């Protein structure tokens, strides 16, 4: 932090090992007793670094910038006794997967006497790579994508009790590994879930208008938002498989979706 304009710099290295287990035991009166033992394990490492700087001159501004790198190895298994008709235990609902993500951003806060303008730019990239795993019977596919998303916001400080603001932004959300590659069948109940090798990342265009302020000890905020999505990710019933007669569910991309509303706090 020897540079005269650099005011803050923090870096974190981290590791995570998370185990999730769901166990149930059923004492049934007219059928064989059974158990279900479902586990999910995630091992991850990552690096996160962020800094702030102050630029002086003709256009004074405060810069924030950062970089995030992460890799996770995810695995899951379904086990137990007395499996459903047509299934065998143990089984895997999705293949073991390596998931990598990269994110970088740059944001500026340009202050005048009463208005703050906040432009920002972010880069995201992800990749998921399944590994051949015994116990998973579905098809697998590698998937990766990237996007650059800008954002522009402004705050107008008319007074302490009333400050209107506006924000426009583009968004990007990567699909999860179990949305792309998964396989699960329940013949007794007549349905199954399959992966989607053609699943795309979700893109959004968002507008938010609002105002905030403070009256004595009371702080308030009013907001209206309108989010429009392209390739919105949703799990849908896509039909009945003629080969096995099962209702088939799949994560798919909806061409357009819209979420809008208001909030008062």
């Amino acid at each position: 932090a020897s540079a005269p304009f650099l005011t803050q710099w923090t870096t974190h290295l981290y590791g995570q090992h998370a185990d999730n287990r769901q166990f149930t035991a059923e004492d049934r009166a007219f059928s064989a007793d059974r158990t279900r033992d479902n586990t999910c394990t995630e091992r991850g490492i990552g690096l996160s670094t962020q800094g702030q700087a102050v630029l002086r001159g003709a256009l004074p501004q405060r810069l924030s910038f950062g970089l995030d790198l992460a890799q996770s190895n995810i695995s899951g298994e379904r086990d137990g006794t007395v499996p459903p008709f047509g299934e065998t235990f143990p089984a895997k609902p999705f293949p073991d997967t390596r998931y990598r993500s990269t994110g970088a951003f740059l944001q500026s806060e340009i202050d005048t006497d009463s208005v703050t303008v906040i432009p920002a730019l972010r880069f995201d990239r992800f990749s998921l790579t399944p590994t051949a795993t015994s116990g998973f019977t579905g098809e697998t596919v590698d998937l990766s994508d990237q996007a650059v998303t800008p954002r522009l916001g402004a705050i107008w400080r008319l007074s302490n009790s009333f400050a209107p603001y506006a924000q426009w932004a583009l968004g990007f959300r990567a699909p999860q590994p179990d949305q792309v590659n998964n396989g699960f069948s329940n013949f007794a109940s007549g349905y199954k879930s399959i992966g989607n090798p053609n699943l795309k990342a979700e893109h959004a265009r968002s507008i938010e208008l609002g105002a905030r302020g403070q009256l004595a000890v009371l702080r308030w905020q009013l907001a209206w938002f309108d989010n429009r999505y392209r390739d919105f990710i949703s799990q849908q019933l896509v039909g009945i498989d003629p080969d096995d007669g099962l209702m088939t569910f799949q994560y798919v991309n909806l061409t357009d979706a819209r979420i809008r509303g208001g909030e008062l706090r």
Side-chain angles (χ1 to χ4, degrees):
S2 59
F5 61 89
L6 192 63
T7 60
Q8 180 180 340
W9 189 295
T10 58
T11 299
H12 299 278
L13 289 170
Y14 61 89
Q16 174 180 299
H17 182 172
D19 290 313
N20 186 304
R21 183 186 183 194
Q22 295 179 330
F23 179 84
T24 61
E26 299 181 25
D27 183 4
R28 302 193 293 178
F30 303 104
S31 301
D33 296 348
R34 66 183 183 184
T35 62
R36 295 290 182 264
D37 193 2
N38 300 331
T39 58
C40 183
T41 299
E42 181 174 352
R43 294 178 174 87
I45 56 173
L47 165 71
S48 177
T49 181
Q50 294 187 22
Q52 288 186 349
V54 175
L55 300 184
R56 298 176 177 86
L59 190 64
Q61 53 189 297
R62 183 167 60 253
L63 293 179
S64 301
F65 48 88
L67 174 68
D68 294 303
L69 304 173
Q71 175 177 304
S72 298
N73 293 289
I74 307 168
S75 63
E77 185 175 83
R78 299 174 58 250
D79 205 347
T81 59
V82 191
F85 172 74
E87 292 189 57
T88 58
F89 281 158
K92 299 185 73 65
F94 58 88
D96 293 353
T97 302
R98 184 185 66 206
Y99 189 84
R100 290 176 173 171
S101 63
T102 301
F105 74 92
L106 175 64
Q107 175 180 288
S108 175
E109 297 179 52
I110 306 169
D111 286 323
T112 66
D113 291 338
S114 60
V115 176
T116 299
V117 179
I118 310 172
L121 196 65
R122 182 176 177 87
F123 169 78
D124 287 286
R125 176 174 175 78
F126 80 94
S127 66
L128 60 89
T129 306
T131 59
T133 308
S134 61
F136 180 75
T137 58
E139 298 181 1
T140 61
V141 64
D142 295 0
L143 186 66
S144 63
D145 199 0
Q146 62 186 37
V148 176
T149 51
R151 180 170 65 90
L152 179 62
I155 304 172
W156 187 11
R157 294 180 298 276
L158 292 176
S159 67
N160 289 335
S161 60
F162 186 66
Y165 68 90
Q167 178 175 270
W168 169 88
L170 299 183
F172 173 84
R173 187 172 75 92
Q176 297 300 306
D178 60 344
Q179 295 175 334
V180 178
N181 299 309
N182 71 75
F184 171 76
S185 300
N186 189 321
F187 287 88
S189 299
Y191 72 92
K192 66 179 179 179
S193 177
I194 62 174
N196 186 352
N198 299 312
L199 195 64
K200 301 175 183 178
E202 201 174 85
H203 293 261
R205 184 175 72 253
S206 304
I207 296 175
E208 182 176 345
L209 302 174
R212 60 177 70 122
Q214 183 169 347
L215 300 171
V217 297
L218 175 66
R219 289 184 300 172
W220 63 273
Q221 179 174 335
L222 176 66
W224 172 87
F225 57 88
D226 189 349
N227 303 326
R228 297 174 182 265
Y229 296 87
R230 173 170 54 89
D231 294 326
F232 187 84
I233 298 173
S234 176
Q235 190 177 39
Q236 300 287 324
L237 173 62
V238 295
I240 297 178
D241 191 332
D243 294 332
D244 52 28
L246 297 181
M247 294 186 298
T248 303
F249 292 85
Q250 186 182 47
Y251 284 96
V252 299
N253 292 115
L254 304 182
T255 304
D256 295 294
R258 186 179 187 186
I259 300 175
R260 56 181 173 174
E263 183 181 63
L264 174 63
R265 299 168 59 184

